[in-house]
Amino acid sequence: MIVKKEWKKLGFINEPIAEGTDLKAAIRQMCQEKNAVIMAHYYTEGEVQDVADFVGDSLALAQKAAQTDAEIIVMCGVHFMGETNKILCPDKKVLVPDLNATCSLAESCPPAAFRQFVEAHPGHTVVSYVNTTAAVKALTDVVVTSGNARQIVESLPEDEPIIFGPDENLGNYINSITGRNMLLWKGACHVHEKFSLKKILALKKEHPNAKVLVHPECKGPVVKIADKVGSTAALLKFSIQDEATEFIVATESGILHEMQKAAPQKTFIPAPPDDSTCACNECNYMKLITMQKLYNCLKYEWPTIEVDSEVAEKAVKPINRMLEISAKLGL
Ligand code: 13P
Ligand code: SF4
């Protein structure tokens, strides 16, 4: 298959799709014909989540990738998620519908600078959040997600010096609940660091019975007022199982799609960002994944995710260590 220069320049395929095409049906049919599986993160557009074989948080997406026997994995999410899949399944074709779907948090940790940081602190175990590039994972001892960070850190000896990167807010939160004193890389997610404590408290006044759900990438003061802190999957589970009928949700607003679907009788209020002039609580990278790009990506089997083999060989070890610990702990 010839990859057009124009596509390479764009990072996605912009071929027009015949008018009247039922995108959902056409995508499902291609999956069957090509033995492809579509995985989607909760932050993608609702229609993308609805066409996927599996929707999950970053831990579940990695676990699924490690188990699939499909020949093609289409990762509807951001680039590091595609990389994780490719590292776990080097013989499979891994596609991400738009290569511009990066992650501000992963980008806040350039591999060369992180290497210097690690080298400046010898004797530390390096724990990295999954929201990192493959090159950073290659410098890591064990990868974590927001769904297992606490348990994995707690599985390390209490006196073990630890470097944690790249999310400073998540690192501070894990330090606070485990009593550890991990050395933190100062990275952040441009969506989660913007939630406004003041506006959430104002919303609480309007909805006194609402429970506040917070992703641990949010800043400390927002995390402190949460009724539940957790990964996207943990927040979703809580919102379904808890007796409350109203929730203020301080994470990327794509998760509301699944919450509303799972509990249509409940009310979910997206937490507002501090700056009303910005496009707010949406991850602009996740929202780059559209049905059109997904259709074209499956049709032409591009853009593929490639990871340098030397980097992949190193990066697979801390990812597998995470999967092994998680399996042992039943996570
Ligand atoms: P989860 O691991 O909770 O799915 O979060 C991923 C992410 O990118 C949060 O911004
Ligand atoms: Fe990355 Fe933030 Fe988007 Fe999550 S919400 S993928 S951390 S930029």
Side-chain angles (χ1 to χ4, degrees):
M1 203 260 314
I2 296 166
V3 178
K4 291 186 187 172
K5 262 195 200 149
E6 189 191 353
W7 299 352
K8 280 195 185 165
K9 216 163 127 194
L10 289 169
F12 63 89
I13 300 170
N14 61 343
E15 298 290 280
I17 297 169
E19 219 174 294
T21 304
D22 177 343
L23 281 177
K24 190 172 178 185
I27 287 169
R28 289 310 322 160
Q29 189 173 341
M30 279 194 280
C31 279
Q32 220 173 15
E33 287 164 4
K34 293 174 182 246
N35 188 17
V37 67
I38 300 177
M39 308 219 195
H41 190 268
Y42 291 122
Y43 294 164
T44 52
E45 296 286 0
E47 55 184 355
V48 171
Q49 295 183 43
D50 289 344
V51 79
D53 294 276
F54 180 75
V55 187
D57 68 353
S58 37
L59 174 60
L61 291 169
Q63 288 167 327
K64 274 275 168 196
Q67 291 161 2
T68 186
D69 49 19
E71 284 164 59
I72 299 176
I73 301 173
V74 189
M75 183 63 237
C76 293
V78 290
H79 193 270
F80 78 80
M81 295 177 173
E83 274 190 341
T84 304
N85 291 351
K86 184 66 184 174
I87 292 166
L88 287 168
C89 311
D91 300 329
K92 296 190 192 297
K93 194 174 261 187
V94 176
L95 307 170
V96 168
D98 187 337
L99 293 176
N100 301 296
T102 58
C103 164
S104 59
L105 179 52
E107 284 181 354
S108 70
C109 190
F114 192 66
R115 177 189 287 280
Q116 277 181 1
F117 185 65
V118 170
E119 285 173 357
H121 301 94
H124 285 65
T125 293
V126 181
V127 178
S128 292
Y129 193 32
V130 71
N131 296 43
T132 43
T133 58
V136 167
K137 290 187 178 79
L139 300 166
T140 294
D141 295 302
V142 60
V143 168
V144 299
T145 73
S146 51
N148 59 21
R150 175 191 193 144
Q151 293 88 339
I152 289 185
V153 168
E154 281 176 339
S155 76
L156 300 172
E158 250 174 70
D159 55 353
E160 191 151 314
I162 300 172
I163 284 175
F164 183 90
D167 192 60
E168 191 182 15
N169 293 325
L170 175 63
N172 274 324
Y173 172 66
I174 300 296
N175 273 343
S176 75
I177 56 174
T178 60
R180 305 284 173 123
N181 186 23
M182 303 186 298
L183 202 54
L184 307 181
W185 178 266
K186 294 188 187 313
C189 156
H190 73 301
V191 177
H192 286 87
E193 69 172 357
K194 287 211 181 86
F195 287 111
S196 158
L197 176 65
K198 216 168 107 189
K199 290 185 183 171
I200 295 174
L201 290 175
L203 268 177
K204 262 299 267 185
K205 268 201 182 146
E206 278 174 49
H207 306 268
N209 297 323
K211 288 202 172 159
V212 181
L213 309 179
V214 175
H215 196 280
E217 286 174 24
C218 294
K219 285 185 171 164
V222 173
V223 170
K224 262 204 190 113
I225 59 149
D227 294 290
K228 173 73 185 170
V229 182
S231 71
T232 48
L235 298 181
L236 174 64
K237 189 173 167 197
F238 183 89
S239 73
I240 298 166
Q241 293 179 347
D242 194 76
E243 75 285 355
T245 55
E246 274 186 308
F247 298 89
I248 296 165
V249 186
T251 189
E252 210 274 356
S253 56
I255 187 79
L256 269 73
H257 178 72
E258 201 62 29
M259 288 176 168
Q260 209 82 72
K261 241 169 98 174
Q265 74 287 6
K266 297 190 177 185
T267 304
F268 299 97
I269 307 158
D274 54 11
D275 176 2
S276 47
T277 62
C278 77
C280 63
N281 43 17
E282 285 198 350
C283 175
N284 47 316
Y285 302 113
M286 289 279 188
K287 299 303 191 246
L288 289 175
I289 309 300
T290 61
M291 290 290 275
Q292 287 77 7
K293 287 177 191 164
L294 170 55
Y295 172 92
N296 277 326
C297 157
L298 253 171
K299 182 172 175 189
Y300 297 100
E301 298 180 23
W302 192 87
T304 51
I305 298 293
E306 307 298 339
V307 180
D308 173 81
S309 59
E310 253 179 64
V311 171
E313 209 179 298
K314 289 182 184 150
V316 76
K317 291 177 190 159
I319 300 174
N320 277 333
R321 193 169 164 197
M322 167 186 83
L323 293 176
E324 280 157 24
I325 300 174
S326 300
K328 221 186 266 172
L329 297 174
L331 300 170

